[in-house]
Amino acid sequence: MEVNKNNEKIENNEVEITTNVIQKPFMTRKRKKLIHDIIIHMVLILFGTMFIFPFLWMLTTALKTNSELLQGTDVLFPAVPQWENFRLAIKAVPFFLYIKNSFILVFFAVAGTLFSSTLTAYAFAKLEWPGRDALFVVMLATMMIPMQVLLIPTYIMYAKIGWLGTRLPLIVPFFLGGGSAFYIFLLRQFFKGIPKDLTESAIVDGASHFKIFIKIMLPLTKPALITVTLFTFMFVWNDYFGPLIYLSDPDHLTIALGLRAFQSQYSGRYNLMMAASILTMLPTLLIFFFAQKSFIEGITFSGIKG
Amino acid sequence: MKKLLLVMLLMVGVFALSACGDEEVDGKIEVTFWHLSPVGDESYSQVKKIVRDFNNSQDVYYVNEYGFSFWDYWDKLNIAVASNTAPDVGFSTIDDNVHRAQRNVLFNISDFIAADVAAGIETVNTNSFYSNQLGFLTYEDDLYGLPFTATTRMLFYNLDHFAEVGLTADDVPTTWSELQVVAKQLDIVDGNKIERIGFDPTFGQGTYMGYLWQSGLDYFDDELQVTLNTQGHYDVLDWMVTFNNEYSRSQLNSFGEANTILGIDPFAAGRVSMVVGTDGLYQTLLDYDSTMNYAVAPIPVPDEDGVRVNWGSGFSLELYKNGRELDEKAQGAWEFSKYLMSVSIQVEYADAVGWIMGNTEAMDIVAEGNPIITALVEECAYAVDKLFVPYAPAWHAGDWFQYYDQLKAGDATVEDTLKDAIDWYNEKQTNYNATQ
Amino acid sequence: MATQKNKALGKLRSEERVLGYIFASPWLIGLIILGVFPIALSFYLSFTNYDMLGAPGFIWFTNYRILLSNDSLFYTALFNTLYHVAISVPLGLLVGIILALLLNSKIKGMGIYRTIYYLPNVVSVVAMSLLWLWLFQPSFGLVNNLLSPIYNFFKMEPLLWYQSSDMSKITLILMGLWTAGGSMIIYLAQMQDIPSELYEAADIDGANGLQKIFKITIPLMTPSIVFNFIRGLIGGFQDLTVSYIMTKGGPGHSTYYYSYYLFDKMMSDNAMGMASAMAWILLVITLVITMGALSLNKYVFYLGDQS
């Protein structure tokens, strides 16, 4: 029943697509389903402990005192959890300013990536134009040059056009497909998966490619767009190196870069560092949690003849 | 959609504009200074105050300061130097200063000093710096950097552990044979597992080159050819890995890893009774609120003929040319450098960051009443820096560690380690020369 | 009807020759104004002795000659990387697909499970590497403690994991699987595009769960599988973080990867020219392998190509 409810919700969003398929709930043997679910739960919990382990370790480290840090693996759990560390971590740096700065970069990066990668991916997936396949290989090839050797040339270029110390090197490239070759490739794969019948019938109705792109492609590949958004968000949110080399003004610093102040030359304040890392992970986790909610199986374009 | 894009582009433009605004320097000549105390570091507010005091003290120059974490600073600086966008004045490392001087990216400090002397202005007093550091900052008889800080290595020993076995500070070893005797008394072994170790030459900041120097040997000859092929070189390395021969390499390794895996210091954790450490270890103990009783002593020497010497480096203060000739900004950077090197500011800086400063007069004031700092400062006079070797700038680190780590793991003999290392350095030299 | 359709399609086909460039223009313009200069400069630098301080001196093919004929670490590093990619990429695909299939079930709390399995992609690599070292430490690590009954049963020596040059690469590859949640999310996204009619039709034909997975889900996931395969290839050739933090390339160079060597050339030796040459050699190698992988495209099932 739950499945059906979700179906309706999603279908309401897909305005363009007519749905007249009768959903047949598949619930023949309740007991079989129950056993099946229990097994899946058990498997997921068993392996899940492995995957949650790093996070738990971060948490216990964040709650230790300085002297407990010294004991290393001898002390796994702090005697008295130092929740205070979270407050100290926020107080030690202009935490909310950094968060705001990170959000500014993330906002433009996501907008830019979605803009440039969807359009380009459409060209590679659905249009026939001379040089397309060669350029597709060029695009992949740009990802094969290790970033390190492009670093100084790129930096010199931004220095020459006077963008150092501004946010522009961290924003503009996203609008021009910079660093998003993988997303273009990903979206191309998804666009190619949109059935021909849909686009061709729209063409017969006189729709332009731009209209097909906006009205059919984008709504139908929402899970992929959400994935691209999530990945871009995570990349920009966690990137400290770009902000490090291009920004100088303390008022522009991002959270990933700002947190590095907790590691001094001789001693890391690991407890504060972990506390702050956990706090900065939260937005990513929240976004992931809501993003994955829209991933419900096999319903996006019901109504299409197979 | 189009409107949305337009709005976004507009906002990008606004950001671009807002990046160059808010200046409160009213006509002063602006100078950029990069340092190692980022916002959020405990030392930041004091460093900021030092810069603000300079700005308030005179009306020609205005210094903009930017702090970066030690772990990020070098990437930021190297990229900036490569593209002529380095700060007017900033920190760098003393040992490879000569490389930058050769490549003409630094202003000549001796010229500034000579100009000050000619004009009868007060200038930096090079007599209050360690002569060994000045030597490393000299290229073709001219200074290309100022020794902002110094570092040194000493033997840190745990007096609580000493007391447990009936030893006192008077029993601190001075030679390798004494070291062996004392160390063995401090070991604690539970069955197969090492609980505590008295000393191990490969732990902490003990280095092969340091022990070589103490034995009157060196790594390279005057032509920068590697010289690891004598019996003496063999003996020192052999001593390092056989010091705790009664334990297997895997026992020692798992003991060592238990310390390092989680980034804790074995001495601070009380798992090693004596260790070679830098002055940074003193800071670490302070930072972790350690209540341990400990003291420091010169690193024991091989025998009565041993040399009292240790590896010490430091940060230099350098003035970057960025492809320019001498101008007002450079003059401002020089004024600010003189201020930073002065006794009172060096004292303030030491208080902020806990470093040993390059100005010995300042350190006499800082060390007063603190026996550990006093000893560390005294030992700085015996510190020697490592050579800059153009064909293998990381000769003491990655190039050496790849063989040294195998030796420590028990996967290679001392003989093979030295032979492989020599071959590797020679190959690097041949290949480097081919590109010059 | 058919003629009307063909006419409309024909008109659009001729427009596409121009439209293609217009749609691709954000990326194309970016490539021309932001991409060409750094790429060309790094290609030029690969023929110089640039040390990031002085002016680059042109030395023709010297860097390439040294790397290919007189560098005892070059082929070691290349071999390590090929080994790493050859094992980690297929294994990563497999784990990602299995995770995605498991996490696509409709059971309670799926959001929480998915988040947990995604967690390692979010926590800091440094924290994770240190934890991994601790877990796999041969004498006191948790993994060997758990395995000790097996060791005793077979009367074998405990595995040395990252400490032995035979096992170190595998240990790092296993650690890489921890972040399989990244590719999982792409598979999940693709699974949403599989029309439910296909499953319903299979139900009517009496197919069981496994049959549905192999006959419907996996074939329709091939576009993402190819994507993750190529992403894994390209990423795998450039991967160095884990080795850098955990093993420093050791023991005995067994985890010294190509990109690690490139990084050292640049950061430790200031040999930017040499590092650039390494990058261009890597590009050629990756490109050849990727082109081979792209030929797999003929086995990919794009719904859009069907009618």
Side-chain angles (χ1 to χ4, degrees):
Chain A
M1 281 302 110
E2 210 185 304
V3 183
N4 263 348
K5 217 171 70 196
N6 282 328
N7 267 347
E8 280 163 24
K9 217 166 74 193
I10 301 280
E11 280 163 9
N12 285 340
N13 293 338
E14 317 297 320
V15 205
E16 291 293 308
I17 301 136
T18 50
T19 59
N20 50 7
V21 166
I22 309 127
Q23 288 283 327
K24 275 184 272 173
F26 172 61
M27 293 255 263
T28 42
R29 269 163 279 168
K30 250 187 178 171
R31 176 170 289 174
K32 198 176 162 192
K33 162 121 171 83
L34 187 71
I35 293 171
H36 172 261
D37 282 7
I38 289 176
I39 292 174
I40 294 216
H41 272 295
M42 276 165 53
V43 170
L44 286 178
I45 289 173
L46 182 71
F47 288 99
T49 49
M50 262 170 59
F51 283 76
I52 204 172
F53 212 71
F55 177 75
L56 290 182
W57 183 70
M58 283 177 80
L59 187 64
T60 55
T61 308
L63 297 175
K64 284 182 180 177
T65 64
N66 280 345
S67 49
E68 279 168 338
L69 279 181
L70 273 185
Q71 306 301 317
T73 43
D74 292 351
V75 180
L76 274 188
F77 298 98
V80 182
Q82 304 292 309
W83 296 103
E84 174 82 353
N85 285 343
F86 283 91
R87 205 179 57 82
L88 288 176
I90 291 182
K91 254 184 61 184
V93 293
F95 193 80
F96 296 103
L97 172 73
Y98 290 167
I99 294 271
K100 188 194 89 181
N101 288 332
S102 285
F103 265 117
I104 291 174
L105 293 185
V106 162
F107 173 79
F108 284 106
V110 167
T113 303
L114 286 178
F115 164 77
S116 61
S117 59
T118 51
L119 284 169
T120 310
Y122 187 80
F124 281 126
K126 289 285 174 186
L127 303 178
E128 306 259 355
W129 40 288
R132 181 188 69 174
D133 294 341
L135 279 173
F136 185 69
V137 173
V138 168
M139 185 188 75
L140 287 182
T142 59
M143 301 305 283
M144 297 174 195
I145 309 171
M147 281 314 294
Q148 294 100 320
V149 299
L150 294 180
L151 193 63
I152 290 181
T154 310
Y155 187 87
I156 289 174
M157 180 179 72
Y158 288 131
K160 288 250 187 291
I161 53 180
W163 282 8
L164 294 188
T166 75
R167 290 182 170 110
L168 294 176
L170 304 171
I171 290 175
V172 175
F174 288 101
F175 286 87
L176 298 172
S180 52
F182 277 132
Y183 305 137
I184 295 172
F185 184 19
L186 176 70
L187 290 173
R188 168 195 179 260
Q189 297 295 84
F190 276 78
F191 287 163
K192 277 176 84 83
I194 301 297
K196 255 185 189 157
D197 305 9
L198 270 182
T199 45
E200 288 187 351
S201 57
I203 288 169
V204 173
D205 293 345
S208 68
H209 269 298
F210 192 71
K211 195 163 179 200
I212 293 171
F213 170 72
I214 296 280
K215 299 277 182 179
I216 298 179
M217 287 297 161
L218 295 186
L220 285 184
T221 52
K222 220 161 57 183
L225 297 181
I226 288 173
T227 306
V228 169
T229 303
L230 178 76
F231 284 179
T232 311
F233 179 95
M234 276 186 55
F235 172 76
V236 177
W237 190 259
N238 294 326
D239 177 33
Y240 76 89
F241 199 75
L244 168 73
I245 61 170
Y246 292 119
L247 300 179
S248 287
D249 191 336
D251 292 341
H252 288 175
L253 297 193
T254 61
I255 189 71
L257 181 55
L259 285 187
R260 296 180 64 86
F262 291 121
Q263 256 181 317
S264 67
Q265 184 184 357
Y266 294 122
S267 52
R269 284 178 281 167
Y270 284 102
N271 42 4
L272 295 196
M273 194 169 84
M274 290 301 167
S277 304
I278 289 173
L279 290 176
T280 47
M281 272 166 58
L282 290 181
T284 324
L285 284 183
L286 277 179
I287 287 198
F288 177 84
F289 187 78
F290 287 110
Q292 64 82 28
K293 273 194 148 179
S294 61
F295 290 6
I296 301 123
E297 186 188 359
I299 39 186
T300 326
F301 36 83
S302 35
I304 299 152
K305 312 281 170 318
Chain B
M1 184 76 179
K2 277 179 192 162
K3 268 184 196 162
L4 190 74
L5 289 175
L6 203 68
V7 171
M8 279 176 193
L9 286 174
L10 272 175
M11 284 175 77
V12 170
V14 171
F15 274 116
L17 289 176
S18 66
C20 36
D22 59 87
E23 319 258 283
E24 18 136 359
V25 292
D26 27 274
K28 290 184 185 176
I29 294 156
E30 283 186 79
V31 174
T32 311
F33 168 51
W34 286 3
H35 56 83
L36 289 154
S37 304
V39 178
D41 192 272
E42 280 147 344
S43 61
Y44 177 69
S45 57
Q46 267 175 286
V47 172
K48 197 174 174 177
K49 179 188 168 291
I50 288 171
V51 174
R52 198 188 318 122
D53 288 348
F54 174 81
N55 287 338
N56 292 338
S57 72
Q58 45 79 54
D59 33 48
V60 188
Y61 306 110
Y62 185 92
V63 174
N64 294 302
E65 52 79 23
Y66 302 101
F68 304 95
S69 153
F70 174 83
W71 304 100
D72 298 334
Y73 182 87
W74 312 104
D75 287 339
K76 172 116 183 156
L77 184 73
N78 286 337
I79 294 167
V81 171
S83 58
N84 282 339
T85 56
D88 299 307
V89 54
F91 295 142
S92 197
T93 39
I94 287 179
D95 64 295
D96 54 358
N97 168 274
V98 59
H99 187 217
R100 290 180 291 279
Q102 275 172 359
R103 292 286 189 266
N104 195 26
V105 298
L106 299 176
F107 281 115
N108 183 332
I109 302 289
S110 298
D111 286 351
F112 285 111
I113 296 178
D116 281 351
V117 171
I121 314 172
E122 199 185 345
T123 189
V124 291
N125 177 10
T126 51
N127 292 327
S128 41
F129 304 137
Y130 295 102
S131 59
N132 180 48
Q133 292 203 312
L134 290 176
F136 270 84
L137 293 167
T138 303
Y139 170 67
E140 292 183 343
D141 299 330
D142 281 334
L143 269 186
Y144 281 86
L146 292 165
F148 192 72
T149 70
T151 62
T152 188
R153 279 168 173 72
M154 292 190 84
L155 183 76
F156 284 66
Y157 57 102
N158 188 320
L159 282 168
D160 298 332
H161 293 179
F162 267 47
E164 276 173 37
V165 295
L167 297 172
T168 66
D170 296 336
D171 301 307
V172 67
T174 57
T175 62
W176 286 1
S177 49
E178 287 175 24
L179 183 63
Q180 184 93 23
V181 173
V182 174
K184 289 302 139 197
Q185 299 177 51
L186 294 160
D187 286 3
I188 298 179
V189 183
D190 176 18
N192 202 23
K193 196 179 166 219
I194 304 172
E195 295 286 333
R196 186 173 86 191
I197 214 155
F199 180 82
D200 192 283
T202 64
F203 285 4
Q205 293 285 336
T207 60
Y208 179 42
M209 65 172 167
Y211 297 125
L212 281 180
W213 292 344
Q214 290 189 308
S215 317
L217 296 164
D218 214 335
Y219 217 96
F220 296 96
D221 64 17
D222 294 341
E223 267 81 53
L224 293 182
Q225 296 291 326
V226 65
T227 57
L228 295 177
N229 51 358
T230 72
Q231 185 64 35
H233 289 94
Y234 176 91
D235 292 342
V236 172
L237 192 56
D238 191 54
W239 170 78
M240 287 174 71
V241 289
T242 55
F243 188 94
N244 282 308
N245 228 5
E246 64 271 41
Y247 311 120
S248 69
R249 282 321 302 180
S250 80
Q251 268 178 302
L252 282 169
N253 286 336
S254 63
F255 178 77
E257 286 193 337
N259 299 322
T260 50
I261 279 176
L262 296 178
I264 56 167
D265 185 278
F267 181 75
R271 294 167 58 93
V272 175
S273 304
M274 297 183 286
V275 76
V276 174
T278 65
D279 49 293
L281 181 52
Y282 168 72
Q283 285 303 322
T284 305
L285 291 164
L286 279 186
D287 287 351
Y288 283 123
D289 314 321
S290 172
T291 53
M292 171 198 302
N293 281 308
Y294 70 96
V296 292
I299 305 169
V301 291
D303 50 39
E304 288 70 28
D305 302 328
V307 188
R308 182 177 179 184
V309 62
N310 66 85
W311 173 28
S313 189
F315 298 134
S316 52
L317 199 60
E318 298 179 2
L319 278 64
Y320 298 94
K321 273 188 159 174
N322 291 327
R324 297 174 292 129
E325 287 311 307
L326 195 61
D327 61 7
E328 288 169 320
K329 264 181 193 290
Q331 289 295 351
W334 172 242
E335 280 305 316
F336 184 61
S337 302
K338 282 195 284 185
Y339 169 80
L340 283 181
M341 297 308 294
S342 67
V343 176
S344 63
I345 299 304
Q346 289 259 300
V347 171
E348 237 182 283
Y349 220 106
D351 184 48
V353 293
W355 294 333
I356 295 178
M357 309 305 292
N359 190 321
T360 53
E361 278 180 68
M363 284 322 286
D364 288 344
I365 298 169
V366 174
E368 207 174 308
N370 184 325
I372 306 263
I373 299 186
T374 305
L376 287 167
V377 169
E378 191 190 320
E379 203 62 16
C380 280
Y382 300 93
V384 171
D385 213 333
K386 65 182 162 59
L387 276 181
F388 178 74
V389 179
Y391 64 80
W395 61 267
H396 67 296
D399 289 326
W400 166 243
F401 286 155
Q402 53 181 337
Y403 303 107
Y404 180 58
D405 285 345
Q406 262 183 294
L407 173 67
K408 283 197 294 181
D411 293 340
T413 63
V414 173
E415 233 165 5
D416 290 343
T417 303
L418 289 176
K419 191 184 153 295
D420 291 347
I422 291 170
D423 288 348
W424 174 245
Y425 289 117
N426 287 335
E427 182 188 309
K428 285 199 96 154
Q429 190 175 17
T430 311
N431 286 342
Y432 176 81
N433 289 341
T435 64
Q436 294 308 300
Chain C
M1 189 66 196
T3 46
Q4 192 192 342
K5 179 179 166 183
N6 286 339
K7 230 170 95 184
L9 283 179
K11 181 168 162 269
L12 228 56
R13 286 278 169 267
S14 62
E15 278 174 26
E16 280 178 17
R17 300 178 66 82
V18 180
L19 267 180
Y21 286 98
I22 293 174
F23 270 87
S25 62
W27 171 75
L28 266 178
I29 293 170
L31 180 70
I32 293 163
I33 67 171
L34 296 180
V36 167
F37 174 77
I39 291 171
L41 185 54
S42 100
F43 187 61
Y44 168 74
L45 289 177
S46 75
F47 297 98
T48 69
N49 58 11
Y50 184 49
D51 65 357
M52 297 194 280
L53 286 178
F58 198 79
I59 53 171
W60 295 101
F61 290 92
T62 310
N63 290 329
Y64 291 93
R65 179 184 63 74
I66 288 172
L67 286 169
L68 296 173
S69 71
N70 201 31
D71 188 316
S72 55
L73 265 187
F74 179 81
Y75 290 104
T76 310
L78 183 59
F79 168 77
N80 288 341
T81 298
L82 289 172
Y83 182 109
H84 178 83
V85 169
I87 295 182
S88 74
V89 173
L91 209 57
L93 284 182
L94 194 66
V95 173
I97 293 170
I98 292 172
L99 275 187
L101 289 171
L102 273 175
L103 291 167
N104 199 36
S105 321
K106 291 179 190 98
I107 57 170
K108 280 222 159 59
M110 190 44 77
I112 303 289
Y113 283 126
R114 284 174 177 172
T115 310
I116 287 174
Y117 280 83
Y118 196 70
L119 259 176
N121 294 66
V122 180
V123 307
S124 87
V125 185
V126 178
M128 224 165 69
S129 303
L130 288 171
L131 180 67
W132 192 255
L133 280 177
W134 175 47
L135 292 178
F136 277 82
Q137 210 291 334
S139 41
F140 57 81
L142 196 64
V143 173
N144 271 3
N145 278 341
L146 288 175
L147 291 177
S148 66
I150 298 175
Y151 295 143
N152 288 337
F153 183 79
F154 288 104
K155 297 203 167 37
M156 60 186 281
E157 286 288 302
L159 295 174
L160 289 176
W161 301 112
Y162 62 88
Q163 283 187 0
S164 99
S165 43
D166 301 326
M167 292 284 300
S168 54
K169 281 191 269 286
I170 297 292
T171 313
L172 295 197
I173 288 168
L174 286 176
M175 180 177 171
L177 296 180
W178 233 352
T179 52
S183 57
M184 165 199 87
I185 200 75
I186 292 169
Y187 296 128
L188 278 180
Q190 177 106 61
M191 284 179 187
Q192 314 322 313
D193 282 0
I194 300 176
S196 47
E197 289 83 352
L198 294 179
Y199 293 110
E200 284 153 18
D203 287 337
I204 294 164
D205 294 348
N208 66 23
L210 272 183
Q211 282 171 331
K212 278 190 279 180
I213 286 173
F214 283 105
K215 299 280 184 206
I216 301 171
T217 318
I218 303 261
L220 286 177
M221 272 164 68
T222 43
S224 336
I225 294 175
V226 164
F227 169 78
N228 276 323
F229 183 53
I230 287 174
R231 190 177 73 132
L233 274 182
I234 297 176
F237 276 107
Q238 295 179 34
D239 194 16
L240 77 125
T241 330
V242 176
S243 154
Y244 182 75
I245 298 169
M246 282 183 54
T247 54
K248 290 280 168 211
H253 290 132
S254 59
T255 57
Y256 199 57
Y257 297 128
Y258 191 91
S259 46
Y260 197 157
Y261 194 28
L262 186 156
F263 179 79
D264 268 352
K265 285 269 185 230
M266 181 177 156
M267 303 310 286
S268 300
D269 292 353
N270 307 325
M272 186 70 191
M274 190 74 87
S276 302
M278 282 189 79
W280 284 88
I281 294 174
L282 183 66
L283 172 82
V284 171
I285 295 170
T286 321
L287 197 59
V288 168
I289 295 177
T290 307
M291 293 307 282
L294 274 178
S295 69
L296 292 174
N297 243 329
K298 58 175 173 285
Y299 302 109
V300 177
F301 191 86
Y302 294 109
L303 264 181
D305 293 348
Q306 319 298 316
S307 48

